Amino acid sequence: MSASAMLSPMLADLAPPPPRLSATDSLFLDFDGTLVDLADNPEGVHVSTELAERLDALAAHMPGRLAIVSGRSIAQLDALFGPQAKHFTLAGSHGAERRSPEDGHVQPDKPDQLATATDEMRAVAETHDLYFETKSFGAGLHYRRNPDAEPLAIREATAIAERHGLTLQPGKMMVEIRLPGDKGRAIETLMQAPAMQGTVPIFFGDDVTDEDGFVAAAALGGAGVLVGPMRETAARYRLPDVAAVHIWLAQALENAK
């Protein structure tokens, strides 16, 4: 079902999710804009010790049932979380790669055209003073510091994606090209793991790239949680910002003790 079909025309606001997790829940968390505030460039983000320890504690209460599902690569998430990243299941690059205790690190081969497309994206960024982000399975143009460049960035990225048979992925103040994959399919795949079988997925996300995950969670009997301003969405619940997510995680952990 489309996101628009799941809302009234008035875009009625959504209630916050109950601050608890049961033994039959699996928790899926987007990263940028959900666990951490967005920054002018991806390298400007860091994970606080408090957040890392809280997720570590939740993972201990939910063995095998906590996953981070992000557009970032697994290598980037490892660098941000440090040793604690080994305690979570990770789906990186919009689900193109994943790592779990059962399967280890599963990733696709990189086609030759990906390197060429990445070089072309870098050239666009250098020519038009955009921030260039290289990813394990894609590349992004960020225009947060230069919002007027949005039409140009989208036009150039669209042409590069079409030329090389790659996926175009708009996001918040950025656009990227990447290998195929989406967060919905990532959640569906991860839910087949023994620890998650028979549970319901709860997925927190903020961006339009998270809508596939919201739809997948609902189809599996769970729910999506939109983080940020109200908009058309397939999510069932909403929290206003990253700070509210941190409070919810703390409450869920306290209720689990």
Side-chain angles (χ1 to χ4, degrees):
M1 181 181 294
S2 68
S4 60
M6 300 182 72
L7 279 179
S8 71
M10 297 300 292
L11 290 178
D13 203 358
L14 301 172
R20 60 181 180 271
L21 290 163
S22 74
T24 58
D25 292 329
S26 288
L27 180 62
F28 295 86
L29 300 163
D30 171 49
F31 183 72
D32 292 281
T34 298
L35 289 177
V36 297
D37 287 307
L38 297 173
D40 285 343
N41 63 72
E43 283 75 16
V45 166
H46 78 281
V47 174
S48 68
T49 300
E50 182 181 30
L51 174 60
E53 290 179 347
R54 184 168 294 150
L55 291 178
D56 207 29
L58 271 172
H61 279 284
M62 307 175 67
R65 295 185 287 115
L66 190 153
I68 294 175
V69 183
S70 175
R72 289 184 184 254
S73 68
I74 287 178
Q76 288 176 308
L77 295 171
D78 280 342
L80 285 159
F81 280 100
Q84 281 141 326
K86 300 293 185 182
H87 301 167
F88 319 136
T89 292
L90 300 177
S93 305
H94 298 279
E97 57 174 338
R98 65 183 187 276
R99 187 177 71 211
S100 65
E102 294 82 11
D103 299 328
H105 193 167
V106 178
Q107 58 185 348
D109 295 329
K110 292 184 181 181
D112 292 339
Q113 66 265 32
L114 181 61
T116 303
T118 297
D119 289 341
E120 292 177 5
M121 291 280 280
R122 183 183 290 107
V124 171
E126 292 173 352
T127 301
H128 299 285
D129 193 27
L130 300 172
Y131 183 85
F132 171 75
E133 180 186 9
T134 183
K135 298 190 172 191
S136 296
F137 300 98
L141 298 174
H142 293 255
Y143 45 86
R144 184 173 297 276
R145 293 178 299 182
N146 185 12
D148 292 340
E150 178 179 5
L152 180 147
I154 293 175
R155 182 175 66 249
E156 294 290 341
T158 299
I160 294 170
E162 291 177 350
R163 189 156 56 243
H164 297 288
L166 298 170
T167 296
L168 181 77
Q169 182 66 71
K172 285 186 175 178
M173 305 302 288
M174 64 89 68
V175 62
E176 68 179 283
I177 60 169
R178 58 177 176 82
L179 295 190
D182 68 61
K183 295 180 180 180
R185 286 198 291 270
I187 289 173
E188 291 168 354
T189 298
L190 294 176
M191 284 289 290
Q192 297 173 24
M196 293 186 180
Q197 286 183 1
T199 69
V200 295
I202 311 298
F203 176 49
F204 287 67
D206 71 301
D207 205 347
V208 292
T209 60
D210 299 311
E211 288 297 326
D212 291 326
F214 296 155
V215 171
L220 291 166
V225 181
L226 174 65
V227 179
M230 188 59 196
R231 57 171 168 78
E232 288 192 353
T233 181
R236 183 188 304 172
Y237 303 107
R238 187 179 75 87
L239 290 173
D241 49 32
V242 170
V245 174
H246 289 195
I247 292 171
W248 187 93
L249 291 170
Q251 292 174 336
L253 179 60
E254 182 64 29
N255 290 336
K257 294 180 180 178

